[in-house]
Amino acid sequence: MLLLALAVLAPACTAGASGVGGKPGAAGVRDPYFPRLGNGGYDVTHYDLTLDVGKDAKTLRGTARITARATQDLSSFNLDLAGLKVESASVEGRPAAVSRAADELTLRPDIEVQDRLRRGRTFRTVVHYSGTPKTITDPDGSEEGWLPTADGAVALGEPTGSMAWFPGNNHPSDKATYDLSVTVPEGLTAVSNGVLAGRPATADGRTTYRWHTAEPMASYLAALAVGRFETKTSTMTGGITVFTAVDPESAKASAATLARVPEVVKWEAAHFGPYPFSATGAIVERKGDAGYALETQNRPFFPGPPSVGLLVHEMAHQWFGDSVTPASWRDMWLNEGLATYAEWLWEEEKEDTPAQESFDEAYADDDNWAFPPADPPSASNISDPPVYGRGAMVIHKVREAVDDDERFFALLAGWTKARHHGNATTADFTAYVEKATGLDLTELWKDWLYGGSRPAADG
């Protein structure tokens, strides 16, 4: 269904018609499972979002100021936005013509600023928008986007949901820094990624919170929670800010686990390399406010009080997924397999359960053998058991092949250093492992990562 819009704010003059060089940016980056996500022709470097959240967090008015660098000569380009109404848009301070087809916005800059959209140049886009943000149902039936809660809302974005609350280049391959200013009814708190930039300011019954994320972040890792929270701030050794926000109904049951955040971060840093961000912590809502925990950058999100094992898993994603981000959704096992293996390592070192026992349990689970972890059959399968359990088995087999834990943990730390704040494919990982170890692991990858059948456990 085509929803053609709307506010044509300037004559729709294309570069081709005017004689100015350039062509439209692609409406999608051809992700294997979500081909229309993301957009071609530019890389975003920074999002500056100003949001005004209405009563009961049911409506949203926003301004997105997007700084990007053209990767080709552009006559027009796209942004991803679901549901919300675009009121106006400009590029380099000049009104831009806007058209819409479902979740794709096409912006056609004024002819006067076409030169600013040549390859290699940086340009700024401003989009004003409003409406009732929507909840997005994923192919696997899970819900993301804007999720209403008992006292507000939480915005989650894996794999597509960030476009429910701000326009952008919605694909993990395009990471950017963020500034977020959120105004909410007095008495509510707005929690996001990064660190608070100054004290909250209250005026006329409204409170504004400003959050700054200095390190690159994929759009699916951006989060916003609006509601009543008990918040705590402290500082770890090394200057890392620890910020936790907990719904009062979950506070008592969460306290013991959240007190271990510094311990978990320190332990994982010893195994995976230095913690990659300037802030850490957690957001804990009530049970049922979402159907899953999520590794939102800097402070993972939990729908209810988390266990220590779940904290270990989601915090491991700060290295595997948040700093080293998959290049496409086909590479998601690089997030989940390594985070699951972090749980196995924690159980081995803290709970006297050898990783081999965890491997054996995963190996015996038929659900882990539905498909190869590096090749889910469809978008509805990217969060299925093989991506987690069999993905972790791949890492265990690498550990066995290395046959020296000091070298194995150096291998993991080297990976997070080599791809620090970047993107990676499965092929990048397998090539890195073989080069770093000097081993030919062709059979390991064939059997455990790509194979369609269950290999022998000792193979």
Side-chain angles (χ1 to χ4, degrees):
M1 179 176 63
L2 295 180
L3 302 177
L4 294 177
L6 43 211
V8 176
L9 305 164
C13 183
T14 68
S18 67
V20 177
K23 63 181 181 179
V29 296
R30 298 185 179 180
D31 185 272
Y33 304 112
F34 302 94
R36 298 286 287 182
L37 279 188
N39 303 285
Y42 66 94
D43 287 322
V44 176
T45 58
H46 186 69
Y47 292 94
D48 184 350
L49 306 175
T50 301
L51 305 179
D52 194 301
V53 179
K55 184 179 179 181
D56 300 324
K58 292 181 178 178
T59 59
L60 183 67
R61 181 173 294 277
T63 298
R65 300 172 180 87
I66 304 169
T67 304
R69 181 181 59 85
T71 58
Q72 67 176 60
D73 291 351
L74 287 168
S75 61
S76 64
F77 60 93
N78 283 32
L79 296 170
D80 301 305
L81 183 67
L84 296 164
K85 177 184 176 182
V86 175
E87 297 175 349
S88 65
S90 64
V91 177
E92 285 297 298
R94 297 282 297 175
V98 182
S99 60
R100 187 168 198 163
D103 299 335
E104 292 285 342
L105 299 181
T106 300
L107 276 67
R108 295 177 177 83
D110 187 282
I111 188 65
E112 297 295 328
V113 297
Q114 279 288 327
D115 190 57
R116 295 300 302 270
L117 275 74
R118 294 191 181 277
R119 182 178 180 180
R121 300 204 66 175
T122 296
F123 63 96
R124 192 183 194 200
T125 301
V126 179
V127 179
H128 298 282
Y129 59 99
S130 64
T132 301
K134 65 188 293 186
T135 298
I136 295 172
T137 301
D138 294 330
D140 64 0
S142 60
E143 293 184 333
E144 56 167 334
W146 194 265
L147 305 176
T149 64
D151 55 5
V154 59
L156 301 174
E158 187 178 43
T160 71
S162 68
M163 63 182 176
W165 57 289
F166 67 93
N169 197 12
N170 189 20
H171 191 265
S173 60
D174 191 1
K175 302 168 73 169
T177 56
Y178 283 71
D179 280 294
L180 182 64
S181 175
V182 188
T183 301
V184 297
E186 186 176 3
L188 299 184
T189 301
V191 183
S192 189
N193 313 85
V195 296
L196 275 169
R199 297 175 62 85
T202 298
D204 300 323
R206 309 277 292 167
T207 303
T208 299
Y209 294 82
R210 294 182 295 118
W211 292 92
H212 175 63
T213 304
E215 300 93 355
M217 178 168 68
S219 58
Y220 82 92
L221 298 169
L224 174 62
V226 176
R228 301 186 186 279
F229 292 100
E230 295 181 9
T231 63
K232 293 182 180 179
T233 305
S234 60
T235 304
M236 285 180 56
T237 302
I240 298 170
T241 299
V242 182
F243 182 93
T244 59
V246 187
D247 186 285
E249 288 195 6
S250 298
K252 183 176 180 180
S254 299
T257 296
L258 295 186
R260 301 186 74 173
V261 166
E263 175 193 359
V264 170
V265 170
K266 183 178 179 180
W267 178 86
E268 292 186 331
H271 292 75
F272 311 140
Y275 182 71
F277 303 111
S278 57
T280 188
I283 301 169
V284 184
E285 282 278 14
R286 306 181 192 191
K287 291 182 179 179
D289 282 343
Y292 47 85
L294 190 62
E295 62 270 22
T296 45
Q297 190 157 305
N298 306 118
R299 52 191 54 88
F301 168 84
F302 301 97
S307 66
V308 174
L310 185 58
L311 176 65
V312 168
H313 181 104
E314 300 303 338
M315 201 62 75
H317 279 306
Q318 303 304 305
W319 287 261
F320 307 117
D322 295 14
S323 177
V324 186
T325 303
S328 81
W329 289 110
R330 176 168 283 156
D331 305 302
M332 188 165 166
W333 83 274
L334 288 172
N335 298 9
E336 301 301 348
L338 282 155
T340 300
Y341 200 69
E343 291 183 75
W344 294 6
L345 291 171
W346 177 272
E347 292 167 2
E348 181 172 73
E349 297 186 17
K350 300 289 188 177
E351 301 172 12
D352 296 322
T353 301
Q356 184 62 47
E357 288 189 19
S358 299
F359 174 92
D360 292 341
E361 183 178 345
Y363 181 86
D365 186 346
D366 290 342
D367 288 343
N368 285 323
W369 300 99
F371 56 82
D375 192 20
S378 73
S380 64
N381 302 113
I382 63 171
S383 294
D384 280 1
V387 175
Y388 293 72
R390 190 170 166 188
M393 282 187 269
V394 172
I395 304 304
H396 190 71
K397 283 298 176 181
V398 171
R399 184 183 183 185
E400 288 183 343
V402 172
D403 197 26
D404 180 298
D405 274 359
E406 185 175 347
R407 290 180 61 213
F408 172 71
F409 291 122
L411 182 74
L412 297 184
W415 172 245
T416 63
K417 181 179 180 180
R419 295 287 172 167
H420 183 69
H421 294 329
N423 294 89
T425 65
T426 297
D428 291 331
F429 179 75
T430 57
Y432 162 81
V433 170
E434 293 201 356
K435 182 177 181 180
T437 63
L439 300 172
D440 181 355
L441 300 177
T442 302
E443 293 301 311
L444 189 158
W445 309 132
K446 183 180 73 173
D447 292 342
W448 294 93
L449 188 55
Y450 292 106
S453 60
R454 185 168 3 199
D458 58 355

